[in-house]
Amino acid sequence: MLLRKLYPMSFCVLIVFSALGQAEAKTLVPLSSFGGGDGWLDPSESTALTTNNNQRGMTYNSLNNHVYVADREGGSNIRVLNGDTGALISSLDMTGVGGGTFTIDMIDVAEDGAIYVGNLSTSAASNFKVYRWANEAALPTVAFDGLSNLPRTGDSLAVRGSGVGTQIIASGGGSTGFALLNTVDGVNFNNAGNFGATAPAGRFRLGIDFIDSTRAVGLQTGGTISDADFSGGAANGNPVNSLGEAPLAYDQTNNLLATIDINSSDVRLYDGSDLSLLTTTGFMDLANNLTAASVANGNGVGDLKFGTGPSGDLRLYAMNTNNGIQAFQVVPEPASFALLSLGFAGLLISRRRS
């Protein structure tokens, strides 16, 4: 009698666990409020965007639902956009910002809301410079102004953590590996060393992000993604699905990886917990909100960022330079919802019968 009572419960629990495993699969759904109803902020819809290669860095601040764009059109400006609609709100104060091949290039935001923007250094003998805004109302300060010990720095940049735990990584074309910047006071940064040098040159050039506090992932066109840790160990390389995938973002909370194809503006979503599976079981979804053909992006640049929206929804913003910004909600696949509901329903029925 005991076995007969336990069996239905065990069976239903098995369904629930199976459903929970499958619920990890995610899909990309256009954030329809963004860009006039289609999830795409076309350059023709915003004065913060152009089609002449002058916006390469973009990020999202979950704390205030704002998107930031590093804009070099007609000067150096950091544009602030509404995360729901893409409407231009304001620009940051640029007092004292200057120098570099590009004065501003890539941008990211820390977990405490501090905004970091790097210039572009094209020589190992010229300083790489990172500016910091404590918040949108603050004047910029210089967080780092020194040698990165790389031949080119600033094509890619990522930030994680907050306060004294903030970390910055950056790389560029032709550079072997990336530079890691640390801080002891949350304001001023130092070069903690170069890592990932065993990866092919430029592998962290067009896309870089943190997997966690000890490891980074990088990508350029060519179809291979690399990751390396901060202990100086050898870098790993694994294939992705398209030769055009380059800019990327990694969500450390959910172990999700996203890329954008510089040729087509296709956005791909992956389970990033095992980078060796990106072309097989790790691939989750492909989406593209563009309603027109992609504009050429000859430099292969752009940016992506995961973040949590005001209602707790997981979002992904993706910019393929010259092609505006796409916005998505990252949601469980409908099939996963159905299986999960079936599992819990079975569990309730089993409890009632027992």
Side-chain angles (χ1 to χ4, degrees):
M1 178 66 71
L2 179 62
L3 287 176
R4 291 179 64 183
K5 287 185 177 181
L6 284 176
Y7 179 78
M9 175 69 77
S10 302
F11 178 71
C12 292
V13 170
L14 180 62
I15 292 178
V16 172
F17 282 135
S18 175
L20 285 172
Q22 293 183 22
E24 294 177 358
K26 303 288 194 302
T27 187
L28 297 170
V29 176
L31 181 62
S32 59
S33 61
F34 192 81
D38 54 10
W40 174 39
L41 186 64
D42 186 324
S44 67
E45 298 173 317
S46 175
T47 56
L49 300 169
T50 64
T51 58
N52 56 3
N53 297 295
N54 279 334
Q55 300 87 33
R56 303 185 180 192
M58 181 253 0
T59 193
Y60 176 63
N61 188 347
S62 294
L63 298 180
N64 57 17
N65 191 33
H66 287 171
V67 173
Y68 303 128
V69 178
D71 178 18
R72 294 186 292 106
E73 178 70 13
S76 297
N77 292 284
I78 307 301
R79 307 300 187 184
V80 182
L81 310 182
N82 183 295
D84 289 333
T85 66
L88 179 63
I89 298 173
S90 63
S91 298
L92 300 188
D93 191 303
M94 302 298 286
T95 302
V97 177
T101 303
F102 295 154
T103 300
I104 60 171
D105 196 20
M106 303 305 289
I107 182 171
D108 205 356
V109 61
E111 293 167 21
D112 56 8
I115 304 158
Y116 295 85
V117 177
N119 73 354
L120 178 64
S121 166
T122 56
S123 167
S126 65
N127 282 10
F128 175 54
K129 203 168 185 179
V130 178
Y131 301 93
R132 177 183 185 272
W133 286 259
N135 53 64
E136 291 180 12
L139 291 172
T141 60
V142 177
F144 178 78
D145 187 3
L147 298 178
S148 67
N149 300 319
L150 297 173
R152 183 177 170 113
T153 316
D155 289 316
S156 62
L157 178 142
V159 180
R160 73 169 301 278
S162 62
V164 297
T166 306
Q167 298 173 300
I168 302 172
I169 47 177
S171 189
S175 296
T176 53
F178 55 88
L180 170 67
L181 308 182
N182 286 339
T183 179
V184 295
D185 60 7
V187 176
N188 301 290
F189 287 73
N190 59 81
N191 188 349
N194 296 351
F195 303 93
T198 58
R203 186 58 61 78
F204 296 87
R205 168 193 168 205
L206 296 177
I208 196 168
D209 209 348
F210 289 90
I211 293 177
D212 52 39
S213 62
T214 64
R215 196 157 52 115
V217 61
L219 187 60
Q220 66 174 342
T221 54
T224 302
I225 195 169
S226 291
D227 65 284
D229 60 48
F230 303 157
S231 67
N236 305 303
N238 290 290
V240 291
N241 285 282
S242 168
L243 299 179
E245 292 175 74
L248 63 79
Y250 195 94
D251 176 19
Q252 299 173 52
T253 301
N254 299 286
N255 294 321
L256 295 174
L257 172 74
T259 67
I260 192 165
D261 192 309
I262 62 165
N263 299 314
S264 63
S265 293
D266 288 343
V267 178
R268 288 178 172 83
L269 181 68
Y270 297 97
D271 175 354
S273 58
D274 188 340
L275 297 179
S276 69
L277 302 177
L278 299 184
T279 59
T280 55
T281 56
F283 175 71
M284 287 186 175
D285 197 15
L286 181 152
N288 193 331
N289 294 342
L290 270 65
T291 56
S294 288
V295 177
N297 178 5
N299 295 295
V301 289
D303 218 344
L304 299 92
K305 185 71 174 184
F306 286 99
T308 304
S311 62
D313 55 318
L314 179 60
R315 295 183 177 186
L316 174 66
Y317 294 85
M319 180 175 74
N320 181 26
T321 292
N322 301 333
N323 292 276
I325 301 171
Q326 299 182 61
F328 302 92
Q329 291 178 304
V330 184
V331 301
E333 287 185 346
S336 301
F337 273 131
L339 285 172
L340 188 58
S341 299
L342 177 62
F344 281 117
L347 184 58
L348 290 173
I349 291 171
S350 174
R351 285 177 176 173
R352 289 171 181 171
R353 288 178 176 174
S354 61

